[in-house]
Structures are given as C-alpha cells and as structure tokens.
Amino acid sequence: MNKNITALYNIAQKQTRKIIGLMSGTSLDGLDIALCAISGAGENTAVKILEFETINYSEDIKTEIRKVFAQKTIDFQHLALLNEWIGILHASMINESLAKWNIQASEVELIASHGQTVLHAPKFLHQQEKFPNATLQIGDGDHIAVKTGIITLSDFRQKHVAAGGEGAPLAVYGDYLLFSKKGENRIMLNMGGIANFTYLPASLNAEEVFVTDTGTANTLIDIFTKQFFPEKSYDKDAEIAQRGIVNQILLSELKNDAFFTKSFPKTIGQELFNKSFVDLALSKTKLENISAPDLLATLTRLSAETIAEAIQFVVKNSGTPIEEFKVYMSGGGTNNPLLVKWLKELLPFEFQKSDDLGILSDAKEAVLFAVLANETVAGGHYNFGTNKGIPSVTMGKISFPD
Ligand SMILES: Nc1ncnc2c1ncn2[C@@H]1O[C@H](COP(=O)(O)OP(=O)(O)OP(=O)(O)O)[C@@H](O)[C@H]1O
Ligand SMILES: CC(=O)N[C@H]1[C@@H]2OC[C@@H](O2)[C@@H](O)[C@@H]1O[C@H](C)C(=O)O
C-alpha cells in the first residue's frame, strides 16, 4: 500500500487531528492561516484554534491576481502561471508561520486549502444554458503538499458544483457542525468582500438550515475608497462614510439590480459587484460628481440594507418570531462601525461576534475549511436532505507530498 494511504488511514482514526485551514478571500487582503486541533467529526466535532495569523499579500501579489480576478477576458498563460505561483506562495507562507510558531511540519496532519477565487459564475450570471454553475479557485494543492510535506486537501468547491450547488457558500457545513445550538435560532453572518449568512434553526433540523450570499459587504466600499484615496485600501472605521449622507436616489438605483430580486439562495462575487456596477448607476442617476463621503455612505448603506433584507426574508419564512433570533458576526465588516450600527437599527436582534462562541471572528472562515477537510477524512455523514443549495457531500481533492 502507498505509505500516504496508510498515513491517511491512521489520521482518520485519530481522536484529535492538527489541521491547518487556509482562506484567501475575495478582498485579496492576504492569506488567513489557522492551525486547529480538531477532535471527532460530524455533530461531535470540536475545534480549538492553536495558532492564527493573516499574512498580508504584497502589492505585487495583489496586482498579479487582479489581472485575472473576476474578469471575462484574460491572458490565459498568466492564469496558468498564477495557479502554480500562488500554490508556491501559500506553501512558503505556511512554512514561515510554522517556523514562527516553532511547530514541525511532521506535527501537522493535514492542510485544508481554499485557494484564491479568480472567477465565480453561477448559471444566472453567465446565462449560458448548456453550461453548469462554474467557480474557479487557483493555487494548486500539489505545490502546497510537496513544499510543506503535509497531506493537503484543496479545491473544495468543485464537488459542491458537481452535486448541484453553486460552489458556495460552503461555510454552512462547518457552521452547522460547530455552532448549532438546540433552543437557539442563530444567524452566522460573515461580512468579507461579499456577505453571506447561515441560518441554524433552534430545532437542529438539518433540512431547515439555510445559507445564502446577500451581495456586497466590503467589496464596493474598498474599490471606491481606493479610487478616491489611492493610498488607502479600505475605509478604516468608516471614517470617510461617517462624514457623508446616504443618497437615496443612488441607493435605489443600486438596489434595482436583478440580483437583489432573484430568489434565495444565491451566490455572487466581483463579477457583478465591481466598479462598473456602481459607475453605471452613477451615470444613470447623473451623480458622477458625488462626493467621496456621500458615495461611501451610500455603498455602506447598500450593504447594510441588502444584508438586513435577506435575513428578514429567512426569518419571516421560518415562522419564528423575530425576537427569538441571535446574530453572530464575523469577517472584516465586523470592524466597520457604521455598517454594524445600521444593521443593528434594521434588525431587532441580539448581535454578538463569533468570538463569543469561541472562534475568533477573523479566523472563522479558515477554521471552517479545516472542518471541511476533517469531514472528508474522518466524517462524511452530512444529511441536509433535499435542502436547496446544500448538497450532502464531502469536499476537497487530496494531494500527497510524495
Ligand atoms: N477597521 C475596519 N473598518 C472598516 N472596514 C474594515 C475594517 N477592518 C476590516 N475591514 C473590511 O474588511 C475587509 C476584509 O474582510 P475579510 O478579510 O473578512 O474579507 P475576505 O475574507 O477577503 O472576503 P470574503 O469572505 O468575501 O471572501 C477589508 O477589505 C475591509 O473592507
Ligand atoms: C466563490 C467564493 O470564493 N465565494 C466566497 C465569497 O466570500 C464570501 C462569499 O463570497 C462566499 O460565498 C464564499 O466564501 C465563503 C467562505 C463560503 O463559501 O462560505
């Protein structure tokens, strides 16, 4: 037998596995690296974050990714080169973190690598009948396995598409296993580039679990902060937006997009929520000369209202009184005081952070991918029934180091 199969077999039987979860999100800010100790599997999964850090992408890395990111027409060779290069970069970032934490590669059982999303094109976006939902993450897992010496699971989204999903959101699997609580209706809200949330019913019934993207969270705010202030990559603490006034005409034009009226669940990325999306609305409303504070206030309000409306829809459908829900926030948007203030005004819930459930908000997505890898190797008994958008499959391709 191949010694790697034996190793995997032994890893699957261990009580506790050390798994590194990696997430590099659509904000292109860097690579989140979470070293987790995961015990059990399925509903008995327990996670302890042993170490966590974000390694920021250099301007060079961001520039190279932006050449292909969410674009319809690209230099094909550049995509192929990036696929290898990002795999190598992520591997060296992991090695750097392990050295910093004084941990040997041999002490880590698995790596779970999300990769860098370069295109997300569900069918409703590409609208080509004969083609399925499509999504593409790069940074090949073989490079990570070979360069770290650790068995690596990667490319999680393809199985989801193969089984009928849109390839996202995948957070629901880990959210369900880690955060479901009998007697409490929970909304796990992540606000990264794009916002998504998982609804975890108090009944624990997997068929009632729900997950969807809601649209832009920080993506548009980041793009226009950079446009007005090239030295800034985001509107830190909403300093600029707080000085502005929401332009209602522009807001309703932005909310007029078909994405917001499309039925739930749905997923999206910068293929829709990009500079042209806002430029078109500015030109339609003849507001091209809007001030930076007013535009950023309006974009922040767009995020708040569309997140709130999506959550209200799910709450209404659940038939449970609105006051019986709790929201647990994660992702960079949690640090945007204006976005959070407006969400609290729009949704009469108790708001907390995923930190209050023992998982550091910034680390949550990386941890959730470690949990997906744990399921693929040691679990695999999901049963979301006929639940829309949540196929009951395990995900990830396995790369051996040699
Ligand atoms: N102090 C802050 N004030 C305002 N915004 C902030 C602050 N800190 C972080 N952010 C926002 O959070 C973003 C990063 O969020 P995060 O790392 O969760 O995104 P991501 O994981 O790349 O995205 P996704 O989950 O959509 O893939 C930044 O680009 C910024 O817009
Ligand atoms: C295709 C892709 O990378 N989508 C991301 C993105 O960022 C947030 C939202 O859009 C979500 O659908 C997804 O990530 C999280 C981790 C998910 O799959 O749950």
Side-chain angles (χ1 to χ4, degrees):
M1 196 192 285
N2 181 320
K3 69 175 191 318
N4 287 301
I5 304 270
T6 313
L8 200 56
Y9 181 81
N10 291 334
I11 291 168
Q13 291 181 315
K14 284 190 151 189
Q15 297 237 303
T16 302
R17 286 164 281 279
K18 283 205 183 87
I19 305 181
I20 291 178
L22 302 179
M23 183 65 196
S24 40
T26 54
S27 302
L28 304 186
D29 50 351
L31 180 69
D32 297 334
I33 308 180
L35 174 67
C36 309
I38 304 191
S39 60
E43 278 145 34
N44 300 317
T45 308
V47 174
K48 194 168 165 228
I49 303 176
L50 302 175
E51 302 283 354
F52 172 73
E53 74 167 331
T54 300
I55 301 203
N56 291 333
Y57 279 167
S58 64
E59 278 311 311
D60 178 41
I61 300 176
K62 291 185 195 178
T63 305
E64 296 301 348
I65 296 173
R66 284 204 189 102
K67 288 180 186 162
V68 300
F69 185 62
Q71 315 268 345
K72 270 192 177 165
T73 310
I74 56 153
D75 173 342
F76 188 42
Q77 172 174 280
H78 193 67
L79 178 67
L81 302 188
L82 273 181
N83 183 37
E84 316 290 345
W85 190 58
I86 291 174
I88 294 166
L89 283 174
H90 283 185
S92 61
M93 289 173 178
I94 297 165
N95 287 337
E96 196 184 304
S97 294
L98 286 175
K100 200 182 300 169
W101 300 332
N102 207 11
I103 290 170
Q104 303 298 316
S106 56
E107 294 173 57
V108 180
E109 272 89 17
L110 299 169
I111 292 172
S113 169
H114 173 266
Q116 186 65 56
T117 293
V118 285
L119 192 84
H120 187 66
K123 204 161 182 163
F124 85 90
L125 189 80
H126 69 62
Q127 294 195 340
Q128 300 185 53
E129 203 34 56
K130 73 175 175 192
F131 292 109
N133 292 318
T135 189
L136 185 62
Q137 286 68 44
I138 60 170
D140 197 86
D142 283 345
H143 282 290
I144 300 178
V146 169
K147 296 241 155 16
T148 60
I150 300 168
I151 297 175
T152 299
L153 280 78
S154 64
D155 210 17
F156 292 85
R157 299 192 188 274
Q158 296 308 322
K159 179 73 108 24
H160 194 271
V161 172
E166 290 190 354
L170 301 188
V172 59
Y173 299 91
D175 280 345
Y176 179 66
L177 297 182
L178 296 184
F179 303 120
S180 287
K181 183 161 184 240
K182 197 158 179 61
E184 192 172 296
N185 292 291
R186 291 183 165 176
I187 300 280
M188 307 301 302
L189 170 63
N190 189 73
M191 296 181 286
I194 297 293
N196 64 3
F197 72 88
T198 303
Y199 159 53
L200 300 170
S203 65
L204 302 187
N205 180 354
E207 295 213 26
E208 287 172 27
V209 171
F210 182 86
V211 70
T212 189
D213 283 355
T214 68
T216 176
N218 296 302
T219 284
L220 297 178
I221 302 172
D222 287 357
I223 292 172
F224 283 88
T225 302
K226 236 171 278 157
Q227 159 133 336
F228 282 102
F229 308 95
E231 72 288 0
K232 295 185 198 279
S233 56
Y234 63 100
D235 183 13
K236 189 164 187 320
D237 303 335
E239 271 164 16
I240 308 163
Q242 308 235 42
R243 287 189 272 117
I245 295 170
V246 174
N247 185 303
Q248 293 297 339
I249 297 169
L250 178 61
L251 180 62
S252 58
E253 181 57 40
L254 292 165
K255 285 177 77 177
N256 220 1
D257 190 88
F259 175 77
F260 294 118
T261 46
K262 190 189 173 302
S263 62
F264 294 105
K266 50 192 167 186
T267 65
I268 199 61
Q270 283 203 22
E271 296 71 20
L272 174 65
F273 292 115
N274 52 30
K275 181 166 152 34
S276 321
F277 175 82
V278 178
D279 284 345
L280 189 65
L282 287 172
S283 116
K284 276 191 183 163
T285 52
K286 301 200 171 20
L287 286 164
E288 291 95 339
N289 295 323
I290 191 169
S291 70
D294 286 2
L295 179 56
L296 292 178
T298 308
L299 295 176
T300 306
R301 185 73 192 179
L302 173 71
S303 302
E305 287 194 9
T306 52
I307 291 169
E309 283 159 18
I311 294 178
Q312 272 154 351
F313 166 84
V314 170
V315 169
K316 213 164 137 208
N317 263 21
S318 75
T320 309
I322 198 155
E323 57 282 0
E324 290 179 22
F325 282 78
K326 264 194 190 175
V327 177
Y328 292 90
M329 298 182 290
S330 59
T334 315
N335 304 317
N336 181 321
L338 188 60
L339 178 58
V340 173
K341 173 177 158 259
W342 278 336
L343 277 176
K344 288 181 176 170
E345 283 169 12
L346 292 163
L347 296 167
F349 297 140
E350 189 181 323
F351 276 75
Q352 294 189 7
K353 280 187 170 192
S354 72
D355 306 49
D356 300 314
L357 299 175
I359 299 290
L360 195 67
S361 148
D362 290 341
K364 190 187 152 207
E365 285 189 337
V367 170
L368 293 180
F369 280 91
V371 171
L372 281 185
N374 187 63
E375 276 305 294
T376 301
V377 170
H381 306 293
Y382 293 129
N383 190 3
F384 290 97
T386 54
N387 206 324
K388 250 182 113 191
I390 319 179
S392 296
V393 289
T394 53
M395 289 155 270
K397 293 164 186 156
I398 301 176
S399 296
F400 293 139
D402 52 22

